Amino acid sequence: MAHPKRKISKSRRDKRRTHKKGTAKLLATCPTTGEQHLPHRAHWHEGKLYYKGNVVMEKEVLV
């Protein structure tokens, strides 16, 4: 199994990682509720599940 012959310094390690950056998630806005959500995903708003601006399912109320 391969293992390093010498310890990699912190600066060398960090130089290698300079290109790995996190990106902000793109958010879509629902035309019906105005709620922001991930694109192509259903989202809950006030007890209703919306997808593409339409109500898909309502939350059950337990009695």
Side-chain angles (χ1 to χ4, degrees):
M1 212 156 84
H3 60 280
K5 192 167 189 173
R6 300 231 182 274
K7 181 179 178 178
I8 303 292
S9 69
K10 292 172 191 159
S11 61
R12 186 172 286 269
R13 177 200 64 198
D14 294 343
K15 281 183 202 175
R16 185 179 66 245
R17 294 179 181 173
T18 58
H19 302 292
K20 291 189 176 184
K21 295 181 179 78
T23 57
K25 294 192 176 191
L26 299 174
L27 294 177
T29 305
C30 180
T32 308
T33 62
E35 189 85 7
Q36 289 199 336
H37 60 91
L38 291 173
H40 306 289
R41 304 283 196 293
H43 64 282
W44 289 98
H45 181 69
E46 296 179 357
K48 296 178 183 177
L49 185 67
Y50 287 89
Y51 183 70
K52 292 187 177 179
N54 300 322
V55 176
V56 180
M57 184 176 14
E58 293 195 23
K59 200 173 201 176
E60 291 183 15
V61 179
L62 300 174
V63 179

